[in-house]
Amino acid sequence: MAYAAMPALVMDAVPVTETASANGVNALMRSIGTSTSSAVMAAILANSTMRLGPAEVPTEHGFRLTYLVAMCAAAGALLLTLAVPRVRRPATAQNDGPARADPQAAAGQP
């Protein structure tokens, strides 16, 4: 769910001149996280198997352990969100132009 929002958050948090490199780092970290997490889950499931007929299958304990690891990772990610800088844009005054700033000038009166 956060994949769609991350580029916008990254672009708001960095200077305009750094948006391309910041989005590149975001994509790289996303790829590393995806491949690392799948490798960790596969390793956990491969190390907790049982024989079921002619095949080796992951045990219930292996699946419970992968869910526990995923919950810990989600909790860690939630804590990391506290480090995301909050962008507070200054309120800008509406510039209505010189014609509306002076009602007499807008009406054509000197």
Side-chain angles (χ1 to χ4, degrees), residues 9-27:
L9 291 172
V10 167
M11 288 175 39
D12 283 345
V14 298
V16 175
T17 58
E18 300 295 323
T19 55
S21 60
N23 277 324
V25 170
N26 175 42

Side-chain angles (χ1 to χ4, degrees), residues 46 48-58:
S48 49
T49 59
M50 66 178 203
R51 180 157 298 283
L52 185 65
E56 290 277 330
V57 295

Side-chain angles (χ1 to χ4, degrees), residues 20-110:
S21 60
N23 277 324
V25 170
N26 175 42
L28 176 66
M29 292 298 115
R30 184 173 45 195
S31 297
I32 290 172
T34 302
S35 57
T36 302
S37 64
S38 64
V40 168
M41 297 305 173
I44 291 171
L45 291 175
N47 284 323
S48 49
T49 59
M50 66 178 203
R51 180 157 298 283
L52 185 65
E56 290 277 330
V57 295
T59 62
E60 182 181 347
H61 173 71
F63 280 105
R64 288 180 190 260
L65 190 56
T66 58
Y67 288 129
L68 180 65
V69 169
M71 285 190 306
C72 290
L78 184 61
L79 290 175
L80 282 176
T81 60
L82 299 174
V84 174
R86 292 187 177 21
V87 177
R88 290 189 169 78
R89 298 183 186 267
T92 58
Q94 289 280 350
N95 186 2
D96 292 335
R100 292 189 183 194
D102 184 5
Q104 291 180 345
Q109 299 173 0

